[in-house]
Amino acid sequence: MASADEVVDIETGNRLASVLRAGRGVISNNQALINDASIGDKGFTGEVFFSAAIEAYLKKNGEHPLDEGLDPESRSMTETQINAMVEVVDESQEIINADGLAFKGFIPAVFARLANEKFGEEMADRASIKVTAPKELVRNRKARPDEWENEVIVTKFQAAGWPVGEAFFEETAVDGKPAFRMLIPEYYSESCLACHGSPKGETDVTGFPKEGGSVGDLAGAISITLYK
Ligand code: HEC
């Protein structure tokens, strides 16, 4: 049974993960536009991103991510997260609008990492969001799982019978500080395989070797830490 405190933390963790997914989805939906070498100014500004992300979140969750009725702490955290995403899009205008360049490396995973780093800087000792992955799949060193994340991935998410999509959470400590931690598994869908699929080892459009993944395989996890 989750305690009352945990119930709030789980809600907060789920909201942060869902906002991250909504934001990545907006980048994904605009990937063809972003990658279009024939257009300079694409009009894909932070403001345009913001409206699309709110709309995507609303559609998925049936409520506004900044609903007035939210717990104030959770609401302010979500606000910081959305602002971080908008800033990343605003700060990436030069690359997004580069004329004559098709693939610019501005993809959902990179966007998410930049937004999560910004969020982490602003939230300092209050919260952090990270996308990590099983050790053998990690592309960016910054995404490497820490001991706790690795343990959960190996003993829970990769164990036979772990329910697909089920998150794991625990009251624990990070660097000696008490924290609520939550890890939410993510799986490859068809759209991921152009980069993470087969043949294993072949270089993808981003310059990384493909992992040989299949639809439904564990791809990574969203890791949320809420300091107490
Ligand atoms: C266009 C190629 C491309 C596609 C499509 C793609 N990825 Fe990635 N993915 C990357 C790159 C490049 C990185 C490293 C980003 C960075 O620098 O942080 C990455 C990073 C990740 C990470 C973070 C851990 C790590 O390895 O650094 C996860 C998890 C992940 N991708 C899962 C997915 C899933 C799930 C999908 C489909 C919904 C997907 N990716 C689609 C290229 C891609």
Side-chain angles (χ1 to χ4, degrees):
M1 264 292 285
S3 68
D5 234 22
E6 267 181 347
V7 170
V8 175
D9 287 341
I10 293 166
E11 260 180 42
T12 302
N14 279 327
R15 185 173 306 104
L16 294 170
S18 194
V19 167
L20 180 69
R21 284 172 165 159
R24 280 191 317 206
V26 172
I27 302 304
S28 177
N29 290 339
N30 285 279
Q31 195 73 68
L33 171 67
I34 294 167
N35 292 358
D36 192 333
S38 71
I39 310 174
D41 186 356
K42 309 204 172 43
F44 186 63
T45 59
E47 212 178 314
V48 167
F49 166 86
F50 177 81
S51 305
I54 297 290
E55 197 185 318
Y57 184 96
L58 259 169
K59 207 168 147 193
K60 178 93 178 92
N61 299 282
E63 62 163 22
H64 197 288
L66 301 175
D67 192 275
E68 292 292 342
L70 291 174
D71 157 62
E73 171 76 7
S74 174
R75 187 174 185 279
S76 107
M77 233 180 245
T78 310
E79 202 165 16
T80 303
Q81 184 191 20
I82 296 176
N83 288 343
M85 291 178 164
V86 168
E87 280 172 33
V88 168
V89 174
D90 276 335
E91 287 166 9
S92 305
Q93 287 301 298
E94 199 174 328
I95 183 73
I96 290 171
N97 293 331
D99 205 353
L101 180 68
F103 187 69
K104 304 169 181 70
F106 194 75
I107 59 171
V110 170
F111 158 80
R113 177 169 51 75
L114 295 174
N116 290 339
E117 284 170 8
K118 209 178 256 296
F119 175 82
E121 280 160 27
E122 275 165 52
M123 298 304 284
D125 49 2
R126 288 169 62 203
S128 76
I129 311 171
K130 169 184 169 190
V131 178
T132 185
K135 268 185 184 163
E136 62 279 10
L137 297 182
V138 169
R139 291 184 166 206
N140 192 307
R141 295 169 57 85
K142 293 180 178 168
R144 281 185 303 192
D146 69 14
E147 216 169 294
W148 183 87
E149 289 161 339
N150 186 54
E151 177 82 6
V152 175
I153 288 171
V154 172
T155 66
K156 315 274 183 214
F157 298 168
Q158 291 180 328
W162 184 261
V164 172
E166 188 162 301
F168 178 83
F169 57 84
E170 188 173 37
E171 304 267 1
T172 175
V174 178
D175 298 332
K177 282 180 286 182
F180 170 85
R181 299 195 72 174
M182 187 168 180
L183 204 63
I184 305 168
E186 302 211 287
Y187 306 86
Y188 293 129
S189 57
E190 195 60 45
S191 74
C192 318
L193 302 185
C195 295
H196 295 285
S198 293
K200 186 174 174 171
E202 185 183 82
T203 304
D204 73 10
V205 64
T206 70
F208 279 92
K210 295 183 189 176
E211 286 81 359
S214 305
V215 170
D217 287 355
L218 182 71
I222 299 177
S223 181
I224 310 264
T225 306
L226 306 174
Y227 292 101
K228 299 278 111 183

